[in-house]
Amino acid sequence: MVAVACLRLGWWQWQHAQLGNGASYGYAAQWPLFAAFGVFFWTRVVRERVNRAARPPAAESSQFTVTVGPSWSFHRGETDAGPVARLVPTADVAQQDEDDRDVAAYMHRLRWLNVDSRRCLSDYPGFDGH
């Protein structure tokens, strides 16, 4: 429907260009490009959703871990909503951090944020903005 509207607007601009409005030639060429982009994007989205629905449920084998530096690792796994990525400290760093009260509080906030991607730091209980 949107592609048809874009093509119609392109025709309308073409008619204005024929009446002497020189700038309308450029617009007459742009509207069909907008229509083509909309059709292309729509087909990509539909194809992606069909492929995702046809895929079997993600298994444990789809998860992988990449070490990032000496003290962090990057974990990625598939969910129904798509890939989920988390940066997780190794056990050694976690133990060192628990010894420092400020770092432990900071790590608690990070773990709280990591539980749900919709959470914001300003929603953290006791967050004062500083």
Side-chain angles (χ1 to χ4, degrees):
M1 183 71 178
V2 173
V4 172
C6 288
L7 292 174
R8 177 67 182 111
L9 286 168
W11 179 252
W12 176 70
Q13 288 290 341
W14 179 258
Q15 289 174 334
H16 278 275
Q18 296 297 319
L19 295 174
N21 187 351
S24 291
Y25 282 114
Y27 295 122
Q30 284 180 339
W31 282 110
L33 292 175
F34 293 152
F37 176 75
V39 170
F40 168 76
F41 186 72
W42 180 77
T43 55
R44 284 278 303 248
V45 169
V46 168
R47 189 176 329 149
E48 181 181 308
R49 289 194 181 181
V50 168
N51 289 340
R52 186 180 296 164
R55 255 188 292 168
E60 292 296 320
S61 62
S62 68
Q63 295 183 359
F64 67 90
T65 302
V66 176
T67 302
V68 182
S71 58
W72 293 88
S73 59
F74 178 72
H75 298 273
R76 179 174 179 227
E78 292 288 330
T79 65
D80 292 339
V84 174
R86 290 197 170 117
L87 190 62
V88 181
T90 60
D92 297 338
V93 172
Q95 181 57 40
Q96 291 171 2
D97 290 346
E98 295 301 322
D99 297 338
D100 185 354
R101 206 179 96 196
D102 291 334
V103 173
Y106 176 74
M107 293 304 294
H108 184 268
R109 284 192 297 270
L110 288 181
R111 284 191 291 273
W112 181 82
L113 285 170
N114 206 19
V115 169
D116 186 357
S117 63
R118 295 171 293 183
R119 289 182 175 174
C120 297
L121 184 58
S122 60
D123 297 334
Y124 184 76
F127 180 75
D128 62 2
H130 298 292

